[in-house]
Amino acid sequence: MNGISIIICTYNGKQKLEETLLAILKLKATFSWELLIVDNASTDDTAAFSYSLLSDSTIDFSILHEAESGLIKARLCGLKASKYDVLLYCDDDNTLDKDYIQIGYDLMKSNPIIGALGGCGTPVFEDEKPDWFDTYGHSFAVGPQAITDGLMPEYPAELYGAGTFFRKEVLLQYLNNGFKSALSGRTRNNLVSGEDVEWCYLIQLAGYQIWYDHRLVFLHHMPQQRMSWEYYLRLKKGISSGVCNLLPYSCLFRNRKMSSIFYFKTWFTKMSFALLIYFKLRILAFLTVNSSNTEQELAITIWREKLFSYWRNSIKSHKHFIQLKNYF
């Protein structure tokens, strides 16, 4: 059906959902849409709070329950329950602009080649903005995702999941044939991520495009407990931990007919490079042991996790590579 299914995946979101839901009640649209709230094993009465806030409204909403923890599980739960052809994943700490879904719907409807469409998150800080945020804030799903509107020039292109529209039929062509995601997404306090990038890759392998539009504006609330350098390092560790699971996609973008032998050659090259960079960084850190260098600390965290990812997930990623090849 033509329309948009807004999907909010939340774990213990009671304390932050109010602004998100109130903004959704103010959305303007000339088409049909629905709101699906996926309660991902919450323990704080998230579902009851959401129902109490929405029960007197006239919008079409449902509250779903996904007992198995993991963002990808919650996103798939919402996808399977959705009734419209365009999905909008809105985080539980996002506040959408009133014209957000109208702009997104118009773009998706007039450009059927679009498989995913992203916007621009504006950070809203609970307390003071950290000094390092302007340099590294993109990892928090904020800021412009391209210089110009329209087709993103990178290939493959990536969007952060917050505030992103997906064309459902493109994802269903994989999921209906038994496709299993290589990445679980965040699971409670585990910051593993990359499932949004994986969906962008799937969409492009299917022949669709990734677009960006600066008019798609939303506020992304930054709680103080996440605005520490220690949390940022955990976040980058989680992002880097998925690098090996995304390797099958980068290989297939290079060569749809790549053999397993060449896949393992690529894996070995990537792992060897990560090993060399990591040891180089460790040596430099040893030589500058008495100095404080956040850039160095960040680089060590990223490359250590990339190295561990290539080692831990080598067999799993090859199985995923074989699975993907069956679709092309």
Side-chain angles (χ1 to χ4, degrees), residues 85-322:
D85 58 343
V86 174
L87 311 175
L88 168 59
Y89 284 95
C90 173
D91 286 1
D92 58 7
D93 55 4
N94 294 168
T95 302
L96 301 177
D97 181 78
K98 66 181 186 303
D99 297 317
Y100 202 92
I101 61 173
Q102 185 66 57
I103 293 171
Y105 179 79
D106 290 343
L107 284 169
M108 297 285 281
K109 185 177 181 181
S110 59
N111 299 279
I113 195 63
I114 300 176
L117 169 66
C120 181
T122 301
V124 177
F125 298 95
E126 186 177 87
D127 207 335
E128 291 185 11
K129 179 176 69 173
D131 294 338
W132 47 264
F133 192 88
D134 287 340
T135 303
Y136 304 110
H138 187 78
S139 295
F140 289 87
V142 296
Q145 302 193 74
I147 298 175
T148 58
D149 291 345
L151 173 65
M152 296 184 70
E154 301 85 1
Y155 187 79
E158 304 172 1
L159 294 168
Y160 47 67
T164 295
F165 298 88
F166 291 95
R167 198 173 297 280
K168 183 168 72 172
E169 65 176 347
V170 185
L171 298 173
L172 283 179
Q173 71 180 356
Y174 294 101
L175 300 173
N176 288 342
N177 288 303
F179 174 82
K180 302 294 183 184
S181 176
L183 291 154
S184 63
R186 296 186 184 184
T187 306
R188 297 186 178 180
N189 293 321
N190 189 328
L191 299 182
V192 173
S193 58
E195 76 293 333
D196 42 8
V197 173
E198 183 176 20
W199 280 16
C200 287
Y201 287 175
L202 283 171
I203 285 167
Q204 290 166 97
L205 285 173
Y208 288 79
Q209 296 177 352
I210 307 296
W211 280 37
Y212 164 78
D213 196 289
H214 78 282
R215 295 173 298 167
L216 296 168
V217 178
F218 64 94
L219 302 180
H220 201 152
H221 297 271
M222 302 286 122
Q224 185 58 27
Q225 63 267 27
R226 293 185 181 181
M227 294 295 100
S228 69
W229 185 251
E230 291 73 20
Y231 181 90
Y232 179 69
L233 289 178
R234 286 181 55 216
L235 179 62
K236 293 302 290 186
K237 179 180 177 180
I239 294 171
S240 300
S241 68
V243 65
C244 187
N245 293 319
L246 292 174
L247 181 61
Y249 296 93
S250 59
C251 287
L252 290 173
F253 279 117
R254 287 169 50 198
N255 181 3
R256 298 290 182 97
K257 297 181 179 181
M258 180 179 286
S259 67
S260 291
I261 292 175
F262 279 97
Y263 175 80
F264 276 116
K265 282 185 177 181
T266 304
W267 167 82
F268 181 77
T269 300
K270 294 281 189 181
M271 190 182 73
S272 299
F273 183 74
L275 180 64
L276 289 172
I277 295 295
Y278 174 66
F279 275 114
K280 177 183 177 181
L281 291 167
R282 293 299 299 180
I283 292 170
L284 289 173
F286 176 77
L287 296 175
T288 57
V289 67
N290 292 322
S291 65
S292 176
N293 189 327
T294 55
E295 287 278 355
Q296 189 178 75
E297 183 182 24
L298 175 61
I300 288 173
T301 298
I302 291 172
W303 284 101
R304 180 179 60 230
E305 199 58 35
K306 285 184 176 183
L307 175 60
F308 289 167
S309 177
Y310 284 123
W311 180 252
R312 287 191 304 253
N313 300 312
S314 57
I315 302 302
K316 177 183 176 183
S317 67
H318 178 251
K319 289 180 179 179
H320 196 65
F321 172 73
I322 297 301

Side-chain angles (χ1 to χ4, degrees), residues 7 36 38 64 73-82 87 89:
I7 302 172
L36 303 176
V38 184
L64 312 172
K73 296 291 184 181
R75 285 185 170 170
L76 289 173
C77 175
L79 184 154
K80 292 172 183 176
S82 63
L87 311 175
Y89 284 95

Side-chain angles (χ1 to χ4, degrees), residues 36-66:
L36 303 176
I37 300 173
V38 184
D39 180 357
N40 191 199
S42 298
T43 58
D44 68 344
D45 296 324
T46 289
F49 173 79
S50 301
Y51 183 82
S52 67
L53 192 64
L54 298 171
S55 57
D56 292 333
S57 71
T58 59
I59 69 170
D60 179 7
F61 78 94
S62 299
I63 298 176
L64 312 172
H65 297 272
E66 174 52 59

